[in-house]
Amino acid sequence: METNNLIRTEAYVNGQWTKAASGKTFDVINPATGEVIAAVPDMNREDVRQAINAADAAWLAYRDLTAKERAALLRNWFNLIMEHKEELARIMTIESGKVMAESLGEVNYGASFIEWFAEEAKRAYGDVIPAHTKDRRLVVIKQSVGVAAAITPWNFPLAMITRKVGPALAAGSPVIVKVPSETPLTGLAISYLAEKAGFPPGVYNTVTSTDSSEVGKELCENPKVRKLSFTGSTPVGKILMSQCASTLKKLSLELGGNAPFIVFDDADLDAAVKGALVSKFRHNGQTCVCVNRILVQDSVYDAFVEKFTQAVQGLKTGNVLDPEVQVGPLIHDRAVKKVKEHIQDAVTKGAKITTGGESMEGLFFQPTVVAGATPEMLIAREEVFGPVAPIFRFSTEEEAIQMANDTEYGLASYFYSRDVNRCWRVAEALEYGMVGINEGLISTELAPFGGIKESGFGREGSKYGMDYFMEIKYMCFGGVS
Ligand code: SIN
């Protein structure tokens, strides 16, 4: 297969490469250089309706494939993605600014969901329930929910698609993916590989648009769509949820976070520095599970700040295609502005910058450490989504837990301690969907990913992931003699 084929500049609907009916397109920009990479269709609500109709028409035949047949299609797709790992990583890097080493990691991570759900397809077991009368038999089966829509974010141009469509396709649901306008090319490239993998027309659809609000409305309000899965901000999640109310659509929302990273005085400080570094600076701080607040106990505060500052100074910024580079640009100028505002607000309220603090060329910003952060600062309440690490101080375990939970978000949290009793106590007390204990990188296809409170609901990946794309049906067989 030609590498060039992976750069697709049309949407993929009903097994066809398609333009917007209006003929409109929009540009995809490389955030590291400002260059235009390609132009893709700027679809409207009616275009998206066509994709929904195609998915709906494909549903019953696809649902009726055996689980083993669906698993084989997913396995083909997984193999093709792994065969084209380098090209996919390169496309991802040039459209998202994610450094090459991380893009390669994301292709593996994203593909792992397809492999996992190819295996899980065959294990969507039901139940036989002991009946309450002699002449009845009670049986529970799980069936595909129907057409599923996925609205995915720019920060993981591949993995957030596969984490949603993997379980949907395994369960027997056709999908419509609305890829982000910042990074549509990776999503289109894997659509091409899905076509080559042999998914029947209408089963896999990808739409591109700058009009997220109209496209979102169609996906939420169209009764043929039975399930919506969204990863993005909490404010947008709330809008989608209210729009889905009209059809009572099944919904999964993976929304914003404000992850605490607690360092207790009994922690292995070097391990904590390493964990905080990898968790804070993954994709330049632009993930929902990135550390947002580092909370450090009094007696180790100064030592941690010193070691962490040194580690941050060692991060290599530069050409995103260089496999050694660890920090790339931010996605757009709004992100740079937000980072600046957070730093300015913290400094005005008494914080001290121990390294970084300045913007660089284009959308690049220096990796920054802010010591002396306090709960009154903007940075304590809002998701930074950038390369800024504020360090807060606490005295007792109770205070750390109170500070960590003092947010409307509840996605990921982390802490470091060598006391096994404390590890259990704190892990149970943190009001979050995910807790990293002496670990800063917790994402894997094997474990349930998702949040509580205003970080949303639903779980992706793991043995739980397919349930969100299936309905439970109870069947009562009567008159059995
Ligand atoms: C996200 O930022 O939404 C996903 C992060 C992950 O899967 O680790």
Side-chain angles (χ1 to χ4, degrees):
M1 196 184 304
E2 288 291 314
T3 302
N4 287 348
N5 287 344
L6 284 189
I7 301 259
R8 310 302 299 188
T9 53
E10 290 176 316
Y12 184 60
V13 174
N14 203 16
Q16 305 288 326
W17 292 93
T18 317
K19 299 186 188 326
S22 66
K24 286 190 187 156
T25 61
F26 65 92
D27 289 341
V28 185
I29 314 280
N30 179 340
T33 62
E35 279 161 4
V36 175
I37 312 162
V40 298
D42 200 357
M43 298 174 105
N44 61 20
R45 201 167 168 163
E46 179 51 35
D47 293 317
V48 173
R49 202 170 295 143
Q50 298 306 322
I52 295 172
N53 289 341
D56 186 51
W59 178 38
L60 294 182
Y62 183 65
R63 185 192 71 178
D64 290 346
L65 293 183
T66 64
K68 199 166 174 167
E69 286 166 333
R70 292 196 299 271
L73 291 169
L74 283 161
R75 173 55 70 173
N76 291 346
W77 192 29
F78 166 78
N79 289 338
L80 286 165
I81 288 178
M82 294 311 285
E83 259 171 49
H84 294 86
K85 183 171 153 176
E86 297 279 335
E87 301 106 285
L88 288 168
R90 213 182 149 80
I91 294 172
M92 189 186 303
T93 288
I94 59 174
E95 69 174 347
S96 71
K98 183 169 283 197
V99 295
M100 194 61 185
E102 284 196 50
S103 293
L104 285 165
E106 187 181 334
V107 179
N108 284 333
Y109 177 49
S112 74
F113 291 103
I114 304 172
E115 182 183 46
W116 171 261
F117 285 109
E119 292 154 357
E120 285 294 284
K122 293 174 274 183
R123 281 182 267 286
Y125 301 136
D127 277 310
V128 179
I129 299 173
H132 52 303
T133 64
K134 286 196 170 144
D135 64 342
R136 289 183 218 186
R137 299 291 181 272
L138 315 184
V139 177
V140 170
I141 61 167
K142 291 183 182 172
Q143 288 182 307
S144 146
V145 66
V147 172
I151 304 182
T152 62
W154 52 262
N155 62 343
F156 284 84
L158 194 155
M160 294 307 100
I161 298 176
T162 54
R163 194 157 79 183
K164 295 177 192 316
V165 305
L169 294 166
S173 287
V175 294
I176 299 128
V177 186
K178 155 66 177 74
V179 288
S181 55
E182 292 88 344
T183 60
L185 299 177
T186 309
L188 291 172
I190 62 168
S191 314
Y192 178 69
L193 297 178
E195 180 189 25
K196 297 292 156 209
F199 287 101
V203 169
Y204 195 103
N205 304 278
T206 299
V207 295
T208 52
S209 178
T210 52
D211 197 349
S212 302
S213 113
E214 278 303 293
V215 168
K217 241 188 232 162
E218 184 62 30
L219 294 173
C220 289
E221 291 174 1
N222 191 316
K224 289 180 180 165
V225 177
R226 303 276 180 83
K227 161 82 193 193
L228 176 74
S229 180
F230 168 71
T231 294
S233 74
T234 294
V236 174
K238 288 180 183 178
I239 295 171
L240 296 176
M241 187 167 170
S242 68
Q243 289 172 349
C244 281
S246 63
T247 52
L248 287 181
K249 218 175 285 311
K250 220 170 149 85
L251 192 58
S252 293
L253 297 174
E254 199 262 274
L255 308 176
N258 183 359
F261 185 103
I262 311 171
V263 183
F264 287 103
D265 55 7
D266 57 23
D268 173 340
L269 270 202
D270 292 321
V273 166
K274 226 168 127 193
L277 193 74
V278 67
S279 181
K280 173 70 245 184
F281 292 98
R282 185 174 171 217
H283 194 10
N284 206 5
Q286 302 176 107
T287 87
C288 302
V289 291
C290 275
V291 168
N292 211 50
R293 298 168 289 155
I294 303 178
L295 317 179
V296 184
Q297 197 151 13
D298 267 337
S299 60
V300 292
Y301 189 89
D302 293 339
F304 182 88
V305 170
E306 195 183 322
K307 279 172 183 275
F308 186 65
T309 300
Q310 257 178 35
V312 172
Q313 282 164 345
L315 289 172
K316 193 169 170 198
T317 306
N319 176 3
V320 284
L321 289 166
D322 174 346
E324 303 289 312
V325 164
Q326 294 157 293
V327 183
L330 286 159
I331 189 73
H332 34 52
D333 47 13
R334 294 193 302 285
V336 178
K337 190 164 165 266
K338 186 172 183 191
V339 161
K340 283 186 186 162
E341 270 166 22
H342 278 166
I343 293 177
Q344 175 70 42
D345 173 79
V347 170
T348 310
K349 292 177 180 152
K352 181 168 168 272
I353 292 172
T354 62
T355 188
E358 300 293 333
S359 52
M360 300 158 76
E361 208 189 328
L363 299 176
F364 285 81
F365 199 93
Q366 290 177 334
T368 301
V369 178
V370 176
T374 60
E376 297 70 43
M377 297 172 182
L378 268 184
I379 211 161
R381 313 223 68 85
E382 292 183 8
E383 194 173 24
V384 184
F385 241 63
V388 185
I391 311 186
F392 301 74
R393 189 187 283 270
F394 69 88
S395 306
T396 63
E397 186 179 305
E398 293 67 32
E399 191 190 357
I401 292 168
Q402 184 278 325
M403 285 169 78
N405 288 342
D406 183 20
T407 168
E408 66 272 31
Y409 295 108
L411 190 59
S413 56
Y414 311 85
F415 70 91
Y416 276 64
S417 165
R418 281 184 284 202
D419 174 343
V420 73
N421 296 313
R422 170 174 271 167
C423 285
W424 276 102
R425 266 195 317 269
V426 176
E428 286 174 357
L430 286 171
E431 293 168 1
Y432 288 84
M434 298 176 283
V435 187
I437 302 143
N438 296 317
E439 183 55 65
L441 204 55
I442 56 176
S443 307
T444 156
E445 81 280 14
L446 310 173
F449 189 105
I452 61 172
K453 294 162 74 180
E454 293 195 24
S455 291
F457 44 76
R459 292 294 178 268
E460 297 187 326
S462 79
K463 70 169 185 169
Y464 307 103
M466 255 173 83
D467 285 342
Y468 294 88
F469 293 88
M470 303 195 91
E471 295 288 9
I472 284 179
K473 182 179 281 175
Y474 156 54
M475 302 188 297
C476 178
F477 292 79
V480 179
S481 55

